[in-house]
Amino acid sequence: INWPEKTKLMQRNWIGKSIGADVTFNVDGCDDKIKVFTTRPDTLFGATYMVLAPEHPLVEKLTTEERKHQVEEYKNSVKSLTEIERTSTTKEKTGVPIGAYAINPSHNKKIPIWIADYVLQSYGTGAIMAVPGQDERDWEFAEMFDLPIIRTVQPPVDFNGKAYLGDGPAINSNFLNGLNVKDAKAKMIKWLEDKNIGKGTINYRLRDWLISRQRYWGTPIPIIHCEKCGEVPVEESDLPVKLPYDVDFKPGGESPLTSHSDFINVKCSKCGSDAKRDPDTMDTFVDSSWYYLRFLNPKITDAIFDKDKAEKWTPVDMYVGGAEHATMHLLYARFIHKCIRDLGLLNSNEPFTRLLHQGTITYQGAKMSKARGNVVNPDDFTNIYGSDVFRLYLMFMGPFEMGGDWSDKGISGTERFVNRIYDLFEQHKNMLSEVNPSIEYNLNTLSQQEKFIYRKTNQAIHKVNEELEHFHFNTAIAALMELLNNLKDLTACSKEIQAYVLNRFAVMLAPLAPHLGEECYNILGNDNSLFENPLWFKPDENALVEDSINIAVQVNGKLRSTIEMPLDSEEGTVKDAVFSDEKVTKHTSGKNIVKEIYVKNKIYNIVAK
Ligand SMILES: [Zn+2]
């Protein structure tokens, strides 16, 4: 997929795929076992203690009598913290030992079991083996509580940090010694599997997505809660479950649909007894995960979406949206799309082939906000300048993906540009009733001025094509501004060429300033709409190449003149021109020409003494 690298990286980190191993530790003196997931099974010999999440189910059972009070106190102190606070790398490490010990299976020695808030019950197994030698967080914790630190990877000689996370030969690790990290991992996984105390596994940071919301406005969850049967799906023939409109959705601490008795009370679709619908609705991100499929034909009633249309129109070629959706909408949509594909309803693997994030428009250098009072209201400006000027100015402000800073002065510059265009077309009103321009002209049949304008027009078409294709709207507009400047001598051209040029100008305007483009197109005398059958012109390839070129003339290493010559002129022709140029002869007359070097189409060098 052609997406910004940064967005892909954010998703990759969010999914957080890590390859490692599950390792089972026995608890000293009882039959309980503690399973951990580690991405570094190669460091098992350096596991000097173990940490459980305070919420881990074994904590209560394993805590020794004399530790009970301290452990309870600690558990209570953690309750008020969010996961982000708990896992913050800058937060001072806290934790307490529970008095029990686990057996490190690599050397069968006892290691103490602690609880600490930085281990989350919701990630992995809620337990970790701590390897301070190779993990910064574990090192910090070990230092704080005076726990042993054993390096199992030899850091480079010039390494003077604490935990070493890089590659190197294994040390203090018995049968792994000397192996690099990758090989040591593989060997340890094999060893664990052979001994039946662990196995290689893949873990994800990704959590489940809780989709129910206690809101009225949303897609009902098609589940019926029956006292006898439990959660029963609504019969397919009764789908979709429709939201009632007469709902009191004042906040009352529970889902608004709960109080709508006609909606909420139903018969169980399995046993027929009185039951209740699920009162929650789905997170709107569920809907936005597949709307691009449904919107193709929202009227279809016998399928989730129109399969034929989806086949034709998806994946979406170009998707534009804010970067803030990187790990939400843009991730959900990919998952749902792949799920629908796996159900056999789609052939494509991705919902959006190409993704672009629009930049932010700031004002006075800051993000617009009501609180700051620096909000630019589009209506104020469209009322004065019209929507085309407003739109053009937004596009011209800066690269699409970067945005820019709003300026009241800037928009009046755009207005002047628009007025100049409008005046130009007004001067050529109904021109097409007099002449009928060709699709292409032979350059040799054109006058000097016509040739120049014909070239500039076709070069602009080429440039605007390219820039629009890449969402470079600002440079596309700049190309039109340049073209407008190059049309000063338009009236010196034949009427046919004038019409040829202006027709193309109007068409190029259309995607950027649709009202203006259409109006200009009609002023010329076209009686159809530009948008009926969208019209676009291909540039005349012959006109894209310049037939003359500027050649720099140097005398003794100093630039003395620039002469315009036909493209690919031979040395003799150029020499004649060079020595009839006063700016050159001024520096060569009365001197001996020692050497002349001509680089075709570029430079003419003279050494004179
Ligand atoms: Zn039932």
Side-chain angles (χ1 to χ4, degrees), residues 225-230 232 267-275:
H225 299 273
C226 169
E227 270 181 27
K228 280 183 225 155
C229 316
V232 182
K267 298 287 181 211
C268 169
S269 45
K270 217 166 168 185
C271 73
S273 53
D274 287 346

Side-chain angles (χ1 to χ4, degrees), residues 558-585:
K558 280 207 173 93
L559 180 71
R560 294 304 182 188
S561 182
T562 308
I563 53 169
E564 193 179 330
M565 293 299 294
L567 195 71
D568 295 332
S569 295
E570 293 304 325
E571 179 159 6
T573 330
V574 180
K575 184 182 172 124
D576 290 345
V578 165
F579 286 100
S580 52
D581 184 345
E582 210 179 285
K583 280 181 278 180
V584 178
T585 51

Side-chain angles (χ1 to χ4, degrees), residues 36-52:
V36 303
F37 169 77
T38 173
T39 56
R40 295 292 303 272
D42 60 302
T43 62
L44 186 56
F45 284 94
T48 55
Y49 61 97
M50 178 170 254
V51 185
L52 304 184

Side-chain angles (χ1 to χ4, degrees), residues 387-546:
S387 58
D388 274 352
V389 171
F390 185 73
R391 190 192 329 256
L392 278 173
Y393 174 57
L394 286 184
M395 286 189 278
F396 188 59
M397 247 158 101
F400 178 79
E401 287 175 276
M402 285 174 64
D405 198 52
W406 176 271
S407 139
D408 293 356
K409 226 170 121 187
I411 194 169
S412 56
T414 308
E415 190 198 23
R416 279 196 299 279
F417 169 58
V418 165
N419 286 339
R420 280 175 61 206
I421 294 171
Y422 197 75
D423 290 346
L424 178 68
F425 279 84
E426 279 284 294
Q427 288 157 24
H428 296 82
K429 218 169 187 162
N430 282 323
M431 167 158 261
L432 290 172
S433 59
E434 297 168 48
V435 288
N436 187 15
S438 307
I439 294 295
E440 225 170 82
Y441 287 90
N442 182 339
L443 282 159
N444 296 327
T445 65
L446 303 180
S447 72
Q448 272 312 325
Q449 271 146 337
E450 287 172 343
K451 229 187 254 181
F452 174 78
I453 285 176
Y454 185 80
R455 277 216 165 84
K456 291 299 172 196
T457 303
N458 280 289
Q459 287 165 4
I461 295 172
H462 177 74
K463 173 103 174 147
V464 170
N465 271 348
E466 288 281 303
E467 303 298 29
L468 289 186
E469 195 63 38
H470 295 99
F471 268 55
H472 297 158
F473 303 123
N474 55 331
T475 43
I477 294 167
L480 289 179
M481 289 176 168
E482 197 188 318
L483 178 60
L484 185 64
N485 289 337
N486 284 327
L487 297 185
K488 284 199 184 78
D489 294 330
L490 186 62
T491 42
C493 300
S494 71
K495 290 229 158 162
E496 257 187 74
I497 293 293
Q498 291 180 28
Y500 172 96
V501 167
L502 292 175
N503 224 11
R504 278 157 181 74
F505 200 109
V507 168
M508 282 191 275
L509 271 174
L512 301 160
H515 303 96
L516 181 67
E518 172 88 335
E519 200 173 338
C520 290
Y521 187 70
N522 289 327
I523 288 174
L524 286 181
N526 289 295
D527 47 18
N528 61 322
S529 164
L530 242 178
F531 302 104
E532 249 171 46
N533 288 301
L535 177 65
W536 198 250
F537 290 106
K538 274 196 184 137
D540 177 355
E541 296 288 332
N542 295 320
L544 297 184
V545 221
E546 289 291 349

